[in-house]
Structure formats: C-alpha cells, structure tokens
Amino acid sequence: MSGTVVIAGGGQAGLQTAASLRQNGFSGRIVLAGDEPGLPYQRPPLSKVYLTGQAGTDGIRLRGEDFFTDNAVELLRGERIVAIDRERRTVETASGTGIEYDDLVLALGSRNRELPVPGADLDSVAGLRTVADADLLREALGSVRRVVVVGGGFIGLEFAAAATDAGLSVTVVEALPRVMSRVVTERTSEFFTGVHRSLGVRVVLGAGVRRIVGENGAATGVELDDGSVVPADLVVVGIGVRPNVELAEEAGLAVDDGIVVDGSLRTSDPNIFAIGDCARFPSPHAGRPVRLESVQNAVDQARHVAAGLTGDAGAYDAVPWFWTDQGKVKLQIAGLTDGHDRTVVRGDQSEGKFSVFCYRGDELLGAESIGRATEHMAVRRILTAGAPLSPEQAADVDFDLKGYSKQVV
C-alpha cells in the first residue's frame, strides 16, 4: 500500500480521504491541496454557531496542525490544482508546481449559484459558503437592521434564523411556492414556514427577484417580479450551488451536472476518483445517478475510496442522510424521498415533534424527522438493512420502531 495519492480539495471529503488512508495502513505519499489558506474546517456551523459567534475558528476546524505532521500528510494551503495530465499522471498547481500521482481523488466541492439579476454585484449583497464569507456576514450583522434572504433552502433559512436571533428584521424571498420544496414534503415545508413566521420572519413565497436596488454602490432593497421593493441593508443569496467540474472537464473526464463516476466512485479514468458535492454516482437508494450535497455523503464516499485504494471496497451504497438546524428546531432526513406518492405522519405536529414517512407504493423511501432523533436513527437502520416497514407500521404509535430497527440490522 504505497505510491502517491494526490487529493484535490481541502474540505471535509478531501481531509477524510487522507485520514482514512492512514487509518487503513496506507504508507505512501499523500498530498492534500486546498483552495483556502487555513486548515480544513466544517462548513455546516458557518450558518449557525460560527455566524452567531458561539464558535470561533478553532471550534470549526476538522483537524489541528499536528494531524498533518503526525500522519505525514502534505497540506498545500491556498494551492489550487489547475490542470491534470492524465497520460503522465501529474497535476499542476496554481503556482506552477507539478506533482506526480498514482491515484488522484477529486474532492472539488461546489460553489454558490449567482443571482442573475441587475444589482447582484452591489456591496452588501453576499453569499455564505466559506469562512471568509461568514466573517464578513458576522461583522455585517452588527451594523445592519434589515436583511433580505433570497432563497428558502437550508442555508437561507439557517441564516434567517440566526439574523432574527440577532434582533434584525428579516424577509425571506422564495421563488417556488414553498420553502425547501426540492428536499422536503409539503407538510414539513409548511411547518418550517410557520416556525420562521412565529420568530418574526416575513416569508414571501412564489416571488421572483427582478433586481437589487442600490445607492452609492450599496444595496438598499430587493425588487420583486411584481414591482414591489423590500428594503434591505444586507442581501444574502442562497439559491443553491454548482459543482466544481471544470478541472475534470478540461482533463477530458465525463461530466454531467457533476463528475460522473461508477459504483466504486471511479471516473472515466481508472486512476482518478471523484467524491462529495462534485460527484454524480449511481445510487441504489435513488435507482439512478445522483449528486448529493451533504457532510454524510462526503465523509462516507471518502472512506469508501480510501478503502478501495487499500483493499476491496465493492460498490458505494451508504444510506444518505441530512440535517438542518434552524433556530432551536432540528430537521433530520434519512433516505432519498424523490418520487414518493404517499406520506404517513407519526407524532404530533402541534408539539413540533413528528416524522413524515415517505413511500412509493408500500416501499419506504425515507423519512423527515423533527424533534424525533430516535425515529431518524431507526429509519436509517431500516433503510441500511433493506428491511420492509409498512405504512401501517409507521403510522402505529404502539409499534416499537426502535426495537424493530435493531432487530433487522
């Protein structure tokens, strides 16, 4: 287990690949090249405890300096890989350094989608993706009064909750008829809309943005497609992300809204892998190729590639799961629920503690759990085991879901 593994991308997926290689006994050279100047860090806290000042830089780091020294991992900070020579098996960094590899892992992540309207480049229009973004927004929260969040997805709503908690006036503008509509059921969308409105957030649904209004180079409001203007001292854009695929595309690798990989997470080049946000992989849980943006997927795929490079890992088949913390409310999702045609609710929505089980016919696809962490874990075990759970069992509060999930594993 020797040779050289180069990892392009210093986020959660890239770092986990390096750590798992060493844990699995890999004795060769590991080079980890990341775009950002500091140590690798967690992204989820940026829109939560880091933004509100409850955690600092040390609190979100994935590993300290000693990890890289102790494990002989060469960390190239702020050193982006800009080219791949597949024939020679070399990569070139932005500074012009060439590095040979035996295997290359692309953990390139994703970047925020830009709002394609006039005024989007004004000062006080920002996104939230990096620690540098979060630093700017944290400073801004202390000097503004009115915030407009464009986009009612996880990041937008997490930021809205943090800004509201800071005492600011917050408006969320979502182009679709409900918040988080691409990832959760209608019932869960409605519940979270109610949560935010109860906190004082104004939630505007089914409204597109025509332009950002500004004076003296700074944003002063958001004009909606009906001509109305929502005043704003700060506009935060959270309308999704794009996978970083350009490096792979320029190297001639297959790309289709993500870097295309097979079941072992190999690209069209057998010596190059892709993992995390940038990878489109065949999922047995979706029945089709998918690209997932989650910490779980990044970490599990990193471990899988490391296992494959140091042995035989088979096909990647981890059950997807996700979470979001919005204020004091946590949503946990197990499985991929696209294409469900039936839902079953377990628990009491009025108490903010319930789960929505999603089915296609009688097949359980996944569940959304709010304040029901035990049920979330049970569903993950059931999906991992491929065990049946009928809609009637899910709806029956007397059915021992936890006990059943432990029996089937």
Side-chain angles (χ1 to χ4, degrees), residues 4 11 20 26 30 33 65 68 93 114 174 192 202 206 211 217 219 236 261 263 267 275 289 342 347 408:
T4 298
S20 293
F26 180 76
I30 300 176
E65 292 274 7
F68 300 95
T93 69
E114 297 180 355
E174 169 56 50
F192 273 92
R202 179 189 176 201
R211 66 185 177 115
V236 177
V261 297
T267 68
I275 59 175
R342 180 180 183 183
V408 300

Side-chain angles (χ1 to χ4, degrees), residues 119-125 144 146 211-222 232-235:
D121 58 347
L122 290 169
D123 291 342
S124 61
V125 177
V144 302
R146 302 166 300 181
R211 66 185 177 115
I212 308 297
V213 182
E215 293 180 4
N216 301 319
T220 58
V222 176
D233 308 307
L234 173 67
V235 178

